[in-house]
Amino acid sequence: MERDEELALLDSVHSDDRGSGVAKVVVVSGPAGIGKTALALHWAHRERHAFPDGHLYADLRGHAAGDPVESAEVLGQFVRSFGISPEHVPASLAERAALYRSIVSERRVVIVLDDALSAAQVSPLLPASAGSVAIVTSRWRLAGLFMRGAQGVQLERLTREGAMDLLRRTLGDARIDRERDAAGELVELCSGFPLALCVAAARLATRPGWDLAEMVDALRNERQRLNALCVEEEVTMRAALTLSYRALSATEARAYRLLALSPGTTFDIRVAVAVIDLPRAGAQRLLDVLVDANLLDDAPGGRYRFHDLTLLHARDMAEHDEAPATRDQALRRALDLYTHTSFAASRVILPYRRLPAPELEHPPAEPLVFARPTQALDWLEHEFGNVRAAARTAFDRGWFRTAVELVDALWPLFLYRGHHAERLEVDRLGLAAARACSDPTAEAKMLNRTGLALLSLGRLEEAANDFRQALLLWRRAGDRQRVAGTLRRLGLVEKDLGRLDRAITLFGEALDG
């Protein structure tokens, strides 16, 4: 691959024995689409034999369409990957960081922290062992890490020779030599950005009858249309993506647009079936086309994801080419799928819960059936990020009942797998949605849940406040059982605060019903 100089620098950092006994950290920075992730993963894979104790990767989503990933969430994933059971993962960031560093302190691991937003996001994720290497990719220079001894690799655009080599690998020497001038202009129009070059080359590879000059003319026209933004780094990539998009058939282009509306970071064939609203075979064919066109990435486990820039482009096309009602229906189908499946999982794990059937406009054509509680719990664990994103999306769109239902269905995951640092945010979202629905029962349930989340985080006075609000609502509703349960929880808080007389009084009130 191109980037021999940058790879050599990574090699030199790894082999440098003059360090201070801590892990070696390299910050790979540069603009969007420049190849930061590709460089980091290529080196980590090439040198994997040098790190026999582990290979870790985290997408920190510093510049993705949604919010960046919290350090505590990544630490939870890392320590679980070393065999720590979920119930033994601490709640606080500091405790998770301490556990993680103790696990890797005597190990040789390579860690790729992709798309970081800040040094503060990254610092808790750095290992403490001298035999380890952490590669951080970011669009920012992350000066805070350099102050702590990190070294930097600043990626620039590919040289003309490197860009031509990339085209040759995809299109073959004969085709490039036949249209050398057009190939040179294509490199110029793509500004040496690997993403733009890969997209253009992919379209040419799947259209062997096209002359390179036709691609050049099309790109030139796109640059004219986006002339007002010609100095921005995304322009050439947007032009290339638009060209690739326009090469799709009408059905393929529709799938590209609608799939980008799905909440979360990854999706599987079932989500695609729901969003595109086609049978499985038809949806799978469209996914294959989009992967071949480099407009969609296939991920492990039969999953798919958009590159962040491609996602933004696809959403722009959806805004431009789809009616608002069509976009709403596609999103509604995705949310209904997540709601139905989350409720099915919750019922299998905790069959005694009194869960009303969710309000669905589009029941899934292929509902997922869980044979065992562990299977359902694993699904909730694996899909947690997507279900959380679905709840946030529903709330933002004003579909508050759906947001409540999605948060409610996640309770078994929090009960059995913890996720203490993450659950407070989710439960507070459910609380806001319940209040927006003017549903006092749902509000009281969510206040009990936020109280429990705060209690697990050691924020006792805040927990007590939420329990008191829930208690008022349960008393108004005349629900004696839940009044007693909330009194008991308040008693536990008072006990932890050392106010034993008050705790005894509350426990007595709970027993009296």
Side-chain angles (χ1 to χ4, degrees):
M1 96 180 243
E2 171 83 350
R3 311 294 196 189
D4 291 340
E5 183 177 343
E6 291 83 358
L7 289 169
L9 179 55
L10 287 169
D11 289 337
S12 68
V13 171
H14 180 215
S15 61
D16 187 356
D17 294 328
R18 296 173 298 170
S20 59
V22 297
K24 304 174 181 70
V25 180
V26 182
V27 178
V28 180
S29 58
I34 205 67
K36 303 180 292 293
T37 301
L39 176 76
L41 292 178
H42 176 83
W43 187 87
H45 180 73
R46 192 190 71 181
E47 300 299 319
R48 63 190 182 280
H49 62 278
F51 305 97
D53 300 319
H55 316 100
L56 301 175
Y57 170 85
D59 181 1
L60 303 183
R61 298 184 59 76
H63 303 87
D67 294 330
V69 176
E70 295 291 337
S71 304
E73 183 173 346
V74 177
L75 285 169
Q77 296 168 4
F78 280 1
V79 298
R80 288 194 294 272
S81 73
F82 284 103
I84 302 299
S85 59
E87 60 271 19
H88 292 140
V89 177
S92 72
L93 172 63
E95 290 174 319
R96 288 187 179 191
L99 175 60
Y100 164 66
R101 286 176 177 154
S102 70
I103 291 172
V104 300
S105 62
E106 301 297 325
R107 301 175 188 259
R108 287 183 294 165
V109 298
V110 60
I111 304 167
V112 177
L113 302 171
D114 195 22
D115 194 20
L117 181 64
S118 66
Q121 184 190 28
V122 169
S123 295
L125 309 176
L126 300 177
S129 56
S132 297
V133 171
I135 306 174
V136 183
T137 75
S138 179
R139 296 184 198 177
W140 296 89
R141 300 289 179 95
L142 301 185
L145 294 182
F146 287 89
M147 294 172 61
R148 301 170 193 176
Q151 298 192 48
V153 175
Q154 179 66 29
L155 287 190
E156 304 295 343
R157 301 178 185 188
L158 292 174
T159 64
R160 181 182 177 86
E161 293 74 22
M164 291 290 283
D165 286 343
L166 189 155
L167 290 178
R168 288 180 181 278
R169 287 198 298 271
T170 305
L171 302 175
D173 290 339
R175 198 170 177 186
I176 297 300
D177 291 337
R178 188 168 60 246
E179 297 185 74
R180 184 179 295 274
D181 290 344
E185 190 172 356
L186 179 61
V187 166
E188 293 299 323
L189 289 170
C190 289
S191 300
F193 273 78
L195 174 60
L197 286 163
C198 286
V199 171
R203 300 316 312 158
L204 286 164
T206 58
R207 302 293 190 276
W210 279 14
D211 292 333
L212 268 64
E214 294 182 63
M215 176 71 78
V216 168
D217 288 340
L219 276 177
R220 191 185 295 120
N221 292 338
E222 291 294 327
R223 285 170 61 85
Q224 181 61 37
R225 189 166 73 87
L226 297 173
N227 188 56
L229 298 173
C230 65
V231 297
E232 299 293 334
E233 63 175 287
E234 295 88 358
V235 169
T236 299
M237 288 177 284
R238 184 180 298 168
L241 287 168
T242 299
L243 178 62
S244 184
Y245 167 72
R246 290 183 175 175
L248 299 172
S249 71
T251 304
E252 294 159 359
R254 174 181 177 274
Y256 174 70
R257 295 190 298 266
L258 296 184
L259 286 169
L261 303 177
S262 177
T265 58
T266 65
F267 58 89
D268 59 15
I269 182 61
R270 296 175 61 255
V271 176
V273 165
V275 172
I276 303 172
D277 198 21
L278 286 176
R280 176 181 285 260
Q284 186 64 63
R285 185 193 71 79
L286 293 173
L287 290 172
D288 292 341
V289 169
L290 295 176
V291 169
D292 289 343
N294 285 326
L295 292 171
L296 198 63
D297 294 334
D298 51 350
R303 305 189 68 78
Y304 302 88
R305 69 182 297 271
F306 282 95
H307 183 282
D308 57 351
L309 294 173
T310 311
L311 178 63
L312 293 176
H313 178 268
R315 287 180 175 172
D316 283 346
M317 294 300 99
E319 290 283 340
H320 184 268
D321 294 340
E322 296 289 354
T326 302
R327 299 197 301 269
D328 284 349
Q329 286 301 305
L331 179 57
R332 183 78 256 179
R333 289 192 296 270
L335 294 180
D336 282 355
L337 174 67
Y338 281 118
T339 304
H340 183 279
T341 312
S342 299
F343 261 63
S346 186
R347 288 191 182 107
V348 169
I349 301 165
L350 299 175
Y352 61 82
R353 291 190 76 204
R354 295 174 288 177
L355 291 177
E359 300 177 5
L360 304 179
E361 291 182 22
H362 307 280
E366 299 182 19
L368 185 58
V369 177
F370 299 102
R372 303 178 308 281
T374 53
Q375 181 191 14
L377 193 56
D378 288 343
W379 185 90
L380 284 177
E381 175 96 49
H382 190 261
E383 294 288 344
F384 173 53
N386 290 330
V387 175
R388 177 173 59 179
R392 167 56 64 183
T393 299
F395 183 87
D396 291 342
R397 297 300 293 270
W399 298 334
F400 301 121
R401 176 58 56 190
T402 299
V404 170
E405 290 171 343
L406 284 163
V407 174
D408 201 11
L410 284 170
W411 171 246
L413 177 67
F414 301 147
L415 180 65
Y416 290 112
R417 298 281 173 90
H419 290 278
H420 302 295
E422 299 85 9
R423 65 176 283 194
L424 179 60
E425 173 195 353
V426 175
D427 286 342
R428 280 181 167 169
L429 176 67
L431 174 60
R435 286 170 170 166
C437 288
S438 299
D439 184 340
T441 299
E443 181 181 355
K445 287 175 64 176
M446 292 300 165
L447 282 165
N448 270 339
R449 285 174 54 159
T450 56
L452 288 170
L454 289 163
L455 182 61
S456 70
L457 293 171
R459 296 160 61 175
L460 302 181
E461 293 289 359
E462 293 176 79
N465 183 59
D466 283 8
F467 288 143
R468 291 188 194 103
Q469 293 182 63
L471 183 61
L472 288 174
L473 292 170
W474 291 132
R475 281 175 168 160
R476 288 175 191 166
D479 192 326
R480 296 179 61 190
Q481 180 179 353
R482 281 171 161 157
V483 165
T486 305
L487 286 168
R488 180 181 61 82
R489 294 185 181 104
L490 270 170
L492 292 173
V493 174
E494 295 295 336
K495 178 182 71 67
D496 289 345
L497 287 169
R499 300 194 285 249
L500 300 184
D501 289 344
R502 180 59 182 155
I504 292 171
T505 299
L506 288 166
F507 289 145
E509 291 179 15
L511 288 172
D512 292 339

